[in-house]
Amino acid sequence: MTSMPSRPAGPAEAGFHLGHKIPPPSGDYRWVYLWDWPIRAMHWIAVLCIVVLVITGLYIGKPYFVTGGDTSQHFLMGYVRFFHFSAAAVLVMTAIVRFYWLFAGNKFERLGALFPVRPRDWVNMWKQVKYYLMIQPEKAPKYLGHNPLQQLSYTFVYLMAVVMVVSGFAMYGQSNPGGFFYDAFNWVGLVFGGMPVVRFIHHVLTWLFLTFIPIHIYLAIRADTLERTGTISSIVSGGRFVSAKEDYVDSEGA
């Protein structure tokens, strides 16, 4: 009996992805726990809040859907504003938990891991930039937690969120002159030169968030696919498997 000729292996069977061969996982691996459950929970709650805030905020800025009839007969904008401010309140709560965890969390969650304060991190940041630009991909430093470029970008996002919240509460206070939010945040308009400027800054930061989100998702998927770092799964499970033979810059005590 003659055997049937075997067909050539397809791209998936040959281990190819995006035109490059990815070797199968092998060797010794160890589990490293990175993110405690409050951090993971606050991350996904914040994601939901930001989605709600962006959708409702763009509508408040320029309503793109209005039900038929006299606008006084429905309360659509009122509902949109309610969801917007409710999501903002929940986002502030997640920020409070995150701030607390800067001091109560593990070494990957504390303040020192949020901003590249060590000289080695600033040196490695430039190496990381060249790695992402495919200039010297083989010389990228390896981190268990966030690399310096991620640290700096997340710090910038946190600062943007603070400005968004402060400017949002300042605009919210205008609806009730003399109320708590008006008294607490009316100074924002004076500092920035008027509430129209505050509204403009709030709107621009919304688009910066919309720019950051796809980049963040792309880099996470890229790391999981090409580097096999378990970045996406770690924000669900709390940790990831890493090669026991690799050296990591932030591995002390991990």
Side-chain angles (χ1 to χ4, degrees):
M1 178 182 294
T2 58
S3 59
M4 295 295 293
S6 59
R7 63 181 179 82
E13 298 169 346
F16 285 89
H17 184 81
L18 299 179
H20 298 280
K21 186 175 182 179
I22 302 176
S26 61
D28 296 329
Y29 285 82
R30 61 188 178 97
W31 172 262
V32 178
Y33 190 70
L34 300 173
W35 320 118
D36 291 324
W37 72 264
I39 291 296
R40 286 176 277 144
M42 294 306 103
H43 173 273
W44 293 112
I45 293 174
V47 168
L48 178 61
C49 290
I50 291 174
V51 170
V52 174
L53 285 167
V54 168
I55 295 174
T56 56
L58 292 177
Y59 180 87
I60 293 172
K62 185 177 182 180
Y64 46 79
F65 176 77
V66 178
T67 57
D70 189 356
T71 56
S72 63
Q73 297 177 358
H74 56 77
F75 198 61
L76 179 59
M77 181 60 76
Y79 288 125
V80 172
R81 285 169 56 87
F82 171 78
F83 285 115
H84 189 78
F85 295 126
S86 297
V90 175
L91 184 64
V92 171
M93 296 177 192
T94 66
I96 294 174
V97 174
R98 184 65 185 95
F99 180 79
Y100 171 75
W101 233 254
L102 290 177
F103 307 95
N106 61 43
K107 61 170 293 184
F108 302 107
E109 302 165 334
R110 295 195 194 113
L111 185 61
L114 181 66
F115 189 79
V117 294
R118 292 177 290 269
R120 73 177 185 190
D121 291 332
W122 287 98
V123 174
N124 288 337
M125 184 187 301
W126 175 238
K127 294 180 181 178
Q128 199 70 41
V129 170
K130 291 191 290 185
Y131 168 74
Y132 283 131
L133 294 177
M134 297 298 182
I135 298 176
Q136 288 181 320
E138 71 283 355
K139 295 184 179 182
K142 295 183 180 295
Y143 283 77
L144 292 172
H146 297 315
N147 65 57
L149 192 59
Q150 291 172 324
Q151 295 172 13
L152 190 62
S153 63
Y154 294 155
T155 300
F156 180 68
V157 169
Y158 289 150
L159 292 176
M160 283 200 308
V162 170
V163 177
M164 288 283 284
V165 169
V166 172
S167 59
F169 283 156
M171 291 186 290
Y172 179 73
Q174 300 302 304
S175 62
N176 183 26
F180 171 78
F181 285 97
Y182 183 87
D183 294 336
F185 295 97
N186 192 50
W187 58 269
V188 177
L190 301 177
V191 170
F192 287 100
M195 295 311 298
V197 179
V198 174
R199 180 184 180 277
F200 174 76
I201 294 174
H202 195 80
H203 185 76
V204 169
L205 290 178
T206 299
W207 286 103
L208 288 180
F209 266 102
L210 286 175
T211 303
F212 168 79
I213 290 172
I215 295 176
H216 176 63
I217 295 174
Y218 162 74
L219 291 178
I221 295 176
R222 179 185 184 277
D224 261 13
T225 304
L226 300 182
E227 304 168 33
R228 298 191 173 183
T229 58
T231 302
I232 298 177
S233 59
S234 68
I235 200 60
V236 177
S237 63
R240 61 190 181 95
F241 285 100
V242 297
S243 175
K245 298 180 180 179
E246 293 282 0
D247 293 326
Y248 295 89
V249 178
D250 55 348
S251 62
E252 296 87 353

